[in-house]
Amino acid sequence: AQTVTQSQPEMSVQEAETVTLSCTYDTSESDYYLFWYKQPPSRQMILVIRQEAYKQQNATENRFSVNFQKAAKSFSLKISDSQLGDAAMYFCAYIDGDYKLSFGAGTTVTVRA
Amino acid sequence: GAVVSQHPSRVICKSGTSVKIECRSLDFQATTMFWYRQFPKKSLMLMATSNEGSKATYEQGVEKDKFLINHASLTLSTLTVTSAHPEDSSFYICSARPSQRGDEQYFGPGTRLTVT
């Protein structure tokens, strides 16, 4: 099983500021996908952003961007211009060849007004 | 598009009874569906992979006879918790992988099971 590590159980950010969530993973594969999911209090899992490992360019979705460092097996998420609606638990995830997702422990993001 | 539903959203059952949870892909076909369990403020733990027309594959430590999975069609998978006990109380989430695109999964809204 793949290992995905999120070392920050909680992060707090002021509204309109930027916060970065860290994620590292372990794999022997050269081609794979990585994801960040958001789980708000409703508990519906929402895909935030995805990164294909063979693409060197970092993925961006509006205010969300990643810093993908393949050699270091690092995949951090940056939330810019944080909004109150960004408050949620964020999970980093890796998908293997059987399409099974391995999730990190999650980071709870609190946005201060 | 890519909507997955789960039914029921909440269920309370008595210890020793069985409860069935349905997972449906509403606007796409899903050869594969996945079942997860999540405890409060914890991560999702994969329980099993449900494949249409074949037996489910279970993750290590998951009791096959307790968590029965059936994937009878390309849009429906069911999870039956048999002889439920209070320790089975949890949040159960399913996801569906579109048959035409393998690298994404779409999640259902989850089912909160409480066993009394």
Side-chain angles (χ1 to χ4, degrees):
Chain A
Q2 309 305 325
T3 302
V4 179
T5 303
Q6 292 179 250
S7 58
Q8 306 154 313
E10 297 179 353
M11 293 288 282
S12 180
V13 60
Q14 188 72 36
E15 197 175 5
E17 298 294 310
T18 296
V19 64
T20 299
L21 310 184
S22 65
C23 173
T24 58
Y25 59 94
D26 182 32
T27 183
S28 58
E29 301 295 325
S30 59
D31 193 17
Y32 47 88
Y33 291 88
L34 296 163
F35 304 87
W36 278 98
Y37 283 93
K38 171 185 178 181
Q39 189 180 42
S42 68
R43 302 190 80 169
Q44 171 72 58
M45 295 289 284
I46 301 166
L47 177 64
V48 175
I49 201 166
R50 61 197 291 262
Q51 174 79 42
E52 297 166 79
Y54 67 87
K55 289 187 176 180
Q56 293 187 342
Q57 186 173 6
N58 289 323
T60 299
E61 287 288 342
N62 301 312
R63 297 182 294 106
F64 298 87
S65 61
V66 298
N67 183 0
F68 174 49
Q69 300 291 326
K70 190 173 183 179
K73 296 180 183 175
S74 170
F75 183 58
S76 62
L77 174 70
K78 184 170 76 173
I79 307 174
S80 303
D81 186 25
S82 297
Q83 300 176 0
L84 295 177
D86 294 334
M89 198 159 185
Y90 287 81
F91 293 99
C92 177
Y94 167 101
I95 198 164
D96 69 11
D98 292 326
Y99 305 109
K100 295 180 183 179
L101 280 168
S102 296
F103 289 92
T107 298
T108 299
V109 172
T110 304
V111 181
R112 306 187 304 274
Chain B
V3 178
V4 176
S5 69
Q6 274 185 248
H7 178 79
S9 57
R10 292 173 179 263
V11 59
I12 301 173
C13 69
K14 292 186 181 297
S15 189
T17 63
S18 296
V19 60
K20 180 185 288 187
I21 303 170
E22 292 186 348
C23 176
R24 291 182 187 272
S25 56
L26 298 185
D27 50 5
F28 64 95
Q29 293 185 333
T31 309
T32 306
M33 292 184 175
F34 301 89
W35 288 95
Y36 299 85
R37 184 172 181 175
Q38 185 182 31
F39 291 105
K41 299 190 184 299
K42 297 295 185 181
S43 188
L44 282 71
M45 298 300 296
L46 179 65
M47 298 174 65
T49 302
S50 170
N51 298 295
E52 188 267 336
S54 64
K55 289 185 178 181
T57 54
Y58 292 81
E59 295 302 301
Q60 192 171 8
V62 177
E63 299 177 60
K64 303 177 183 181
D65 296 332
K66 179 161 196 59
F67 298 100
L68 299 179
I69 291 172
N70 184 278
H71 193 152
S73 77
L74 287 172
T75 59
L76 173 64
S77 176
T78 60
L79 168 68
T80 301
V81 183
T82 63
S83 186
H85 289 283
E87 56 265 30
D88 299 325
S89 298
S90 189
F91 194 68
Y92 293 87
I93 304 175
C94 74
S95 70
R97 178 173 77 88
S99 300
Q100 302 305 317
R101 183 173 180 176
D103 55 298
E104 284 203 33
Q105 295 179 25
Y106 299 94
F107 285 83
T111 296
R112 182 180 301 280
L113 169 64
T114 303
V115 184
T116 61

